[in-house]
Amino acid sequence: MKLISVLIPEGDFSVTNVEGIHHIFSEVNKAYQRAGKAPAFQVHLVGRQRSHTLKENFFSIHPNHLITEDFTSDLVIIPGLHGDVVKSTENNQALVPWIVDQYTRGPR
């Protein structure tokens, strides 16, 4: 089974990307199960903290894993960020070492 990690960045990002990714891989798993096969993917949300609110506290997202935990993903997906690019980059500097670490371990 492949581990798909969706990174939950700080600040304003595309919730649609996160939900869409989860939906697509879940539907593929359902198709596998209908064909009598085991699910092919596990989708995990990964962040700096266990709870993340956005869109003026309208949405809450609760990552399954923290970037401080030791695991290797097969695929890392980073959703699109909204707003000021410079501010978004500054707010997410703490994620860069995790991204680099995952990259050196071999995931896409």
Side-chain angles (χ1 to χ4, degrees), residues 27-62:
E27 289 301 314
V28 170
N29 280 341
K30 288 176 188 176
Y32 269 77
Q33 288 176 315
R34 284 191 300 271
K37 298 179 182 179
F41 305 104
Q42 277 188 324
V43 179
H44 292 266
L45 303 180
V46 181
R48 288 181 54 213
Q49 53 201 9
R50 290 282 178 206
S51 182
H52 184 85
T53 59
L54 62 154
K55 306 287 184 194
E56 299 174 359
N57 294 321
F58 191 71
F59 290 106
S60 292
I61 295 181
H62 305 281

Side-chain angles (χ1 to χ4, degrees), residues 47-96:
R48 288 181 54 213
Q49 53 201 9
R50 290 282 178 206
S51 182
H52 184 85
T53 59
L54 62 154
K55 306 287 184 194
E56 299 174 359
N57 294 321
F58 191 71
F59 290 106
S60 292
I61 295 181
H62 305 281
N64 308 89
H65 292 287
L66 299 177
I67 61 172
T68 55
E69 297 172 2
D70 186 28
F71 65 94
T72 301
S73 303
D74 295 296
L75 176 65
V76 174
I77 299 174
I78 303 170
L81 294 168
H82 299 293
D84 184 322
V85 174
V86 173
K87 185 176 177 181
S88 292
T89 303
E90 290 171 357
N91 289 342
N92 287 288
Q93 283 299 307
L95 300 176
V96 174

Side-chain angles (χ1 to χ4, degrees), residues 7 16 24 60:
L7 189 59
T16 303
I24 290 167
S60 292

